[in-house]
Amino acid sequence: MAVIKQDDLIVSVADALQYISYYHPTDFVQAMAEAHAREESPAAKDAMAQILMNSRMSAEGHRPICQDTGIVVVFLRVGMNVRWEGTLSVTEMVNEGVRRAYTNPDNILRASVVDPPFGARQNTRDNTPAVIHTEIVPGDTLDVRLAAKGGGSENKAKFAVLNPSDSLVDWVLDTVTSLGAGWCPPGILGIGIGGTPEKSLLMAKEALLDSVDIHDVRQKAEPSPIDELRLELYEKVNALGIGAQGLGGVTTVLDVKILQHATHAASLPVALIPNCAATRHAHFVLTGDGPVSLDPPKLEDWPSVTWTPDADSRRVDLETLTREEIQTWNSGDRLLLNGRILTGRDAAHKRLVELIENGEPMPDGVDFTNRLIYYVGPVDPVGAEAVGPAGPTTATRMDKFTDAVLTGTGLIGMIGKAERGASGLAAIKKHGVVYLIAVGGAAYLVSKAIRKARVLAFEDLGMEAIYEFEVEDMPVTVAVDSTGDSVHLSGPAQWRGRLGDIPVEMGKSA
Ligand code: SF4
């Protein structure tokens, strides 16, 4: 019989969450490096280079891969012969581990969890509680798998109950097409087939905890029906041409993972959950011999990809920027921003719109005239940092506020990630402004361009406050120009057309 001490689980969970905040799984890095090597779309290749360089910088600097350090999901398999030593419940032990990880002063992680979810939505400040799934199994060990899932990819979870005769492949292809790029591809699709509605969603999430192994599946002499389905989906999803960050390209998914369970004869439940560019998960086993400390990966496991702004990037002085100047920018142009930008995301937008609708002035000290607003919720800084990792958040969530905010503030541009929805595009065109994107999942790299940061308004919103950032050569791409032309529409359409001529299959290693 193994005796698991309370502190051993707490310390192991805390260490593992710190570990995954800055170390990508090496199989994921390898798969991303291979995708980067075979990518033919310059825009997608540039985005993947930023993701890979960001990954290496995070591993070296022990700072988060992404500013969204995720909600913690834990799968516990508790051996039937395990005995516990401690006063806390197992749920409380796990949550104490989460608390210690997210408030670690050496690498403070962003607290993103709000409670209650309906109504006040107060940030719990330590990222608790985790979502915990427990199974009792034969044996005398405690098996722990955990993940930190970002909102951008979690928000794209989809579920359906198909008729048994329906095409599951068609459902997946239609669903992935509808997701847009807010899940920060390239990543991994987790698919759960069968069981009941809740079981299929749980399997889709659990499938994402496995390693990337589509290479091995391809080499199998006798693939199972699920292996064949994985390969078919891998090929067909990549042939959609969505590409890294939705810019159009050869690789949208690095792997497709599937779990299945027996189901009712009348049903075919199916769920899909994507894992993003900030794929983060770990697995360890407690045997009663003390806490587990995960071995750090070797930096040689990262490819020697370095990212530098391409020679065509245009330097922009934000201090003299005018409405006339932004109208010379075309979608697809790469820019290096220099000067001051303002930040604001969901909660700040809601407040700004309330002020505008009530005829009240903008917050003291905030002048939006001819400025760009960056949709971001940064990680708090440590040491000499101006700000912690500060990558873009999904812009579509701001679409419903965009027309009112552009009307009431004097802003001339926005910076976020992924495509805009119909109302966002219409507002951009109506006001003759621009929408720029930074690379989602390259948050630490982006933060290196931020030289100074200060809170200007709505301090009570924490990471959602309005900041002023002073940036130096911050890399962005014009995603929607002032005429409303969008790279997220033209890029994937162009690559979907071209992929008929390009074999969408595993290339050689980088
Ligand atoms: S990579 Fe994108 S989806 Fe993933 S956590 Fe970061 S911002 Fe969210």
Side-chain angles (χ1 to χ4, degrees), residues 66-68 150 152-153 182-184 276-278 280 392 417 440-441:
C66 189
Q67 79 288 342
D68 183 348
S153 56
W183 60 283
C184 293
C276 59
R280 294 167 288 218
K417 74 171 165 87

Side-chain angles (χ1 to χ4, degrees), residues 69-122:
T69 47
I71 183 167
V72 177
V73 184
V74 183
F75 287 84
L76 300 174
R77 287 195 190 115
V78 185
M80 289 161 76
N81 295 326
V82 162
R83 197 168 63 75
W84 297 91
E85 194 176 290
T87 54
L88 301 178
S89 71
V90 175
T91 296
E92 288 168 335
M93 292 178 208
V94 170
N95 282 330
E96 180 56 25
V98 173
R99 186 171 293 118
R100 287 191 197 175
Y102 278 72
T103 57
N104 183 330
D106 295 332
N107 176 35
I108 196 148
L109 306 181
R110 197 185 82 181
S112 303
V113 171
V114 295
D115 194 27
F118 179 77
R121 291 181 67 87
Q122 291 285 340

Side-chain angles (χ1 to χ4, degrees), residues 373-394:
I373 192 164
Y374 183 24
Y375 303 150
V376 63
V379 178
D380 286 343
V382 298
E385 289 177 347
V387 69
T393 196
T394 308

